[in-house]
Amino acid sequence: MSGEGAPEIVIAFSTAPDAATAERIARALVEEGLIACANLVPGLTSVYRWEGQVHADPEVLLLIKTRRENVARLKERLPELHPYQVPELVVAPVEDGLAPYCRWVMDETRP
């Protein structure tokens, strides 16, 4: 049986330069009811090209859980909170999940 509300939930991925910044962003988004939670995963190294040069920098990954209908607001709000000129934000659908967890995500977020 699929999780009730699972198709209405998405996981968004973003990165931050350090744990303090990642937590500040996550706390603001949770307090605003825009997301249910964000997992902060330290220890990443991102390798990327920026302004013609290849960089390798430590980052913290944010795994952000919210409802699909909040993505447009998240795309507006994240850049306001983020120090990067172009913050990462990619969104993936949740196909299935534990029904009580899916209900919790929906209950903790406001459309």
Side-chain angles (χ1 to χ4, degrees):
M1 174 181 255
S2 67
E4 183 180 309
E8 309 307 320
I9 296 171
V10 297
I11 297 177
F13 299 83
S14 188
T15 54
D18 54 56
T21 302
E23 185 171 342
R24 178 183 55 77
I25 291 168
R27 282 184 174 276
L29 295 173
V30 169
E31 287 171 359
E32 294 170 15
L34 189 54
I35 68 171
C37 72
N39 304 110
L40 310 182
V41 184
L44 299 178
T45 299
S46 292
V47 179
Y48 59 97
R49 183 181 307 276
W50 182 252
E51 297 180 339
Q53 295 186 6
V54 176
H55 299 263
D57 293 317
E59 290 189 302
V60 175
L61 176 66
L62 289 87
L63 298 174
I64 300 166
K65 279 72 122 213
T66 191
R67 53 176 68 211
R68 180 180 305 282
E69 64 192 294
N70 285 354
V71 171
R73 282 183 39 228
L74 183 59
K75 287 165 68 175
E76 292 174 3
R77 187 66 177 122
L78 183 68
E80 295 172 350
L81 296 168
H82 211 289
Y84 291 170
Q85 184 178 353
V86 181
E88 174 185 4
L89 181 61
V90 293
V91 179
V94 172
E95 186 176 312
D96 199 357
L98 187 65
Y101 181 81
C102 294
R103 278 193 303 274
W104 175 80
V105 170
M106 297 300 285
D107 288 346
E108 291 300 316
T109 56
R110 293 185 283 279

